[in-house]
Amino acid sequence: MSMLTPPGMGGKYRITGDKYPRMRRTGGRRKLVLAATGGVLALGLVGWGTFQLVDVFTGGSTATAAGGRNCPAPATSASPAKATSLPAPGRIKVNVLNATERSGLAKQTADALKKRGFAIGEVGNATEEYDKKVKGTVLLLGAADAVDGAFPVLATQVGGAKQKVEAPVKGEPAKADAAEAEGEADEADEAAKGPRKPNEVDLIIGDGFKKLAPEAAATGALKALNAPKPSPSPTAAGRC
């Protein structure tokens, strides 16, 4: 019986050939998996540590300008503001001019504005420059100072009012008083008309005008216009 014959075979079977089965050690693959996992964890720890060092030496991406980290934005609080200085209706002189084909509209509107406290100046038809050329409700014509004064006050009385700043006219003859008609008429013709006053506004009625805004609504809009509006101001933030 050959030495390669397994015991118990009784020499009945014999191994022939030059190739024999090789026995592998158990647990080798497990060690490879553990080694690979450990390497990945080690690389992760090294990367995380590097990021932390960079964050420490650069001050952190979330650091605020004051040197704090993860500090909330400064809170804002409303501080009382002064009321806008707008002229009262009685200080605004309104020239009511009709640019439509409907007669009597200028006088009717002027009477309504007078009851609401406005000072009324000239009442009549619009000049040729604007006659039958205003398609909206009204056109407010005045000096540049009226943009932040008389215009918004008068606009509370009628919706859809458009505004136009009138350039100062030079060389336009001034009207002479009756007392100066005899001796000073020539000098009055040569005098230049002065600039329009800030509180003098032409209200030119257009084709889209129906009537003034309801008095209650206009009064409420005027109060809201004069009410002071609080302005936000940042408050000091504590250290964090």
Side-chain angles (χ1 to χ4, degrees), residues 154-177:
L154 193 55
T156 60
Q157 308 301 310
V158 57
K162 294 184 178 181
Q163 304 175 4
K164 181 179 179 181
V165 175
E166 182 183 42
V169 180
K170 298 181 179 180
E172 184 176 346
K175 296 181 180 179
D177 295 336

Side-chain angles (χ1 to χ4, degrees), residues 15 19 40 57 60 104 110 113 117-118 132 142 149 166 180 185 192 221 227 238:
I15 298 175
K19 293 183 180 180
V40 172
F57 285 104
L113 288 173
F118 289 88
K132 299 178 182 64
E166 182 183 42
E180 301 174 339

